[in-house]
Amino acid sequence: MTENNATARLARTAATGIGSMPGGDAREAARTVTGSLETFPYLPELPARGPGADMIGRTAGLLVEVYAHVEPSGWRISDRPGRDTRRARSWMGEDLDALEEFTQDYEGELKVSAVGPWTLAAALELRNGEAALSDPGACRDLTASLAEGLRAHLADVRRRVPGARPVLQLDEPSLTAVLQGRIRSASGYRTHRAVDRAVVEGALRDLVAVAAEAGAPVVVHSCAPDVPFALLRRAGAAGISFDFGLLTEREEEAIGEAVEGGTTLLAGVVPGVDGPLSDPAGSVMGVRTLWRRLGLAPGTLAESVVLTPSCGLAGASPAYARAALAHCVRAARSLADNPE
């Protein structure tokens, strides 16, 4: 699949979620997501269940020939699979079972998420307690293990939901901190050296290539400030997911270049925690304003932008999570019907 085809697929989709949902009931989460997002559902994550359902533990359970267990300080690489690895894999299986149940006869985009290689390297500890990020060899091993795990995961999704066209989201909230040398050491008294941008880009490109083998475009998500749009585009990301409220003027040129280059923007315009929701048209006012400021044709909005919550919904109430997803759908419809 070419990048243009992958991007075009994403651009036809109006709204989706990020990943996490509140509570611990996999069936209820799958029912909510598939019912609210009829054209772009996703595999929900339920971190409230505890270690192994959290973002890092869930992805650690996907790794091939690399294992991890929980320490008081976080997830640490192990010699062999243990209780924590088995728990993570069991919950992933439960989540996939629930998604399969509620996507019978579904045809269309279906998003699955995993932590990207750099956030994973910043979070997973080596046996000495330091982040894997401190060891270039460990970073390479993690990327290779993650690639094999994602290859199997995407194949499993395709088997369970034959009509689905998978989209892989790589969650990289720590990516900017990795690039800027802001990841703290175990002692907290120093930071790990910034990773060369070419090395960062290369690892991401490797995972994009693995996803391409499965016909899955890659979206990279970060709800942190200073998302490296240009680097992600060079790595082959078909879409970039971000918190729209954190954008600054210095990023506008990169956004304009991304849109003109065919990259889909997944704009987080709805708060991820409980609060009042504006009218749908009000939620996308900033997107319309940005388009005018960049001199982009209003008609390209619906082709270039997918609307999402600003981040995951794990910290929201179940009622708000449902409302937020439904609000994204209505806001996307407003954007498409009235781009100006």
Side-chain angles (χ1 to χ4, degrees):
M1 172 176 295
T2 66
E3 181 180 337
N4 287 339
N5 286 342
T7 305
R9 275 173 36 188
L10 286 177
R12 293 197 304 268
T13 307
T16 189
I18 297 299
S20 66
M21 291 287 285
D25 187 329
R27 293 186 73 258
E28 181 58 31
R31 180 188 292 112
T32 297
V33 166
T34 56
S36 301
L37 303 167
E38 295 181 357
T39 62
F40 199 175
Y42 61 93
L43 177 64
E45 302 170 1
L46 300 173
R49 292 181 297 195
D54 61 298
M55 186 172 73
I56 299 299
R58 185 178 176 88
T59 299
L62 294 175
L63 298 176
V64 174
E65 296 184 357
V66 174
Y67 313 106
H69 66 278
V70 178
E71 292 279 344
S73 54
W75 284 88
R76 182 170 295 183
I77 292 174
S78 307
D79 293 322
R80 59 185 64 84
R83 178 183 58 188
D84 297 324
T85 298
R86 289 192 293 272
R87 184 189 300 118
R89 291 175 176 174
S90 175
W91 274 331
M92 176 66 84
E94 182 181 312
D95 294 342
L96 286 166
D97 287 345
L99 183 71
E100 183 178 359
E101 177 183 349
F102 289 100
T103 51
Q104 296 296 312
D105 302 320
Y106 174 73
E107 295 184 358
E109 274 67 50
L110 176 63
K111 185 160 65 67
V112 297
S113 303
V115 175
W118 297 107
T119 296
L120 193 64
L124 272 184
E125 299 174 356
L126 300 173
R127 292 171 183 83
N128 64 4
E130 285 294 351
L133 187 67
S134 65
D135 183 336
C139 291
R140 289 191 294 270
D141 290 346
L142 269 183
T143 299
S145 175
L146 181 59
E148 289 305 309
L150 289 174
R151 184 178 282 114
H153 185 47
L154 289 168
D156 190 19
V157 171
R158 279 196 173 279
R159 179 182 61 79
R160 289 169 175 270
V161 192
R165 297 187 291 272
V167 175
L168 174 62
Q169 177 178 301
L170 294 176
D171 292 316
E172 283 282 15
S174 298
L175 180 59
T176 300
V178 167
L179 290 166
Q180 296 178 354
R182 293 192 284 107
I183 300 297
R184 291 203 167 275
S185 65
S187 68
Y189 293 120
R190 61 179 182 86
T191 57
H192 294 292
R193 182 179 303 174
V195 180
D196 184 88
R197 298 179 79 87
V199 175
V200 169
E201 183 182 323
L204 291 169
R205 190 182 296 113
D206 288 347
L207 294 181
V208 169
V210 167
E213 294 172 10
V218 169
V219 170
V220 179
H221 167 72
S222 174
C223 50
D226 301 319
V227 175
F229 288 92
L231 183 152
L232 296 176
R233 288 182 56 223
R234 291 194 303 271
I240 301 174
S241 173
F242 58 97
D243 182 342
F244 189 83
L246 296 179
L247 287 183
T248 62
E249 286 187 16
R250 67 176 177 270
E251 292 157 313
E252 291 186 2
E253 181 179 351
I255 289 175
E257 291 174 353
V259 172
E260 291 177 344
T263 304
T264 299
L265 303 180
L266 286 80
V269 297
V270 176
V273 293
D274 290 41
L277 292 170
S278 67
D279 66 284
S283 293
V284 293
M285 187 180 303
V287 179
R288 291 194 182 98
T289 300
L290 174 63
W291 234 245
R292 287 195 296 270
R293 203 157 55 233
L294 293 174
L296 297 169
T300 63
L301 264 172
E303 302 169 0
S304 304
V305 177
V306 175
L307 298 181
T308 73
S310 58
C311 208
L313 294 167
S317 67
Y320 179 83
R322 288 191 295 272
L325 294 178
H327 190 87
C328 287
V329 173
R330 290 194 297 270
R333 192 174 301 126
S334 169
L335 197 63
D337 292 344
N338 183 20
E340 300 188 64

